[in-house]
Amino acid sequence: MAMNDKRLKKFKDLLLAKKIALLKKARDTRGEEMKLEPDEFPDEMDLASTEYLHSFTFRLRGREK
């Protein structure tokens, strides 16, 4: 089944929109979301928990990539 130009453009636009969204999410991950300020955490458990969440977020972004 051959794809006509209209359907091809539709899928190209959908893929481009998905690419833009993923790149924005990647930039956001590298930005403010991933900064650790040890002074903000009262104990080692809070800091460890935050580091674990950041690691998990990086793994998710890697899978999306």
Side-chain angles (χ1 to χ4, degrees), residues 9 12 14-15 18 20-21 24 28 35 43 57 65:
K9 181 175 178 356
K12 184 177 180 179
L14 286 172
L15 289 172
K18 183 70 172 173
I20 290 168
K24 182 186 180 313
D28 292 346
K35 288 186 180 175
D43 62 19
T57 301
K65 183 178 174 186

Side-chain angles (χ1 to χ4, degrees), residues 3-58:
M3 201 176 288
N4 63 26
D5 289 340
K6 186 176 179 180
R7 287 185 70 195
L8 184 61
K9 181 175 178 356
K10 175 185 172 186
F11 285 111
K12 184 177 180 179
D13 291 344
L14 286 172
L15 289 172
L16 184 58
K18 183 70 172 173
K19 177 183 176 182
I20 290 168
L22 287 172
L23 289 173
K24 182 186 180 313
K25 196 181 290 187
R27 278 192 300 275
D28 292 346
T29 298
R30 290 188 326 179
E32 292 298 318
E33 183 179 320
M34 300 309 285
K35 288 186 180 175
L36 284 179
E37 298 294 333
D39 298 337
E40 295 177 8
F41 304 103
D43 62 19
E44 291 84 18
M45 291 299 292
D46 289 338
L47 183 58
S49 176
T50 301
E51 288 175 345
Y52 172 78
L53 289 174
H54 285 179
S55 174
F56 183 73
T57 301
F58 277 126

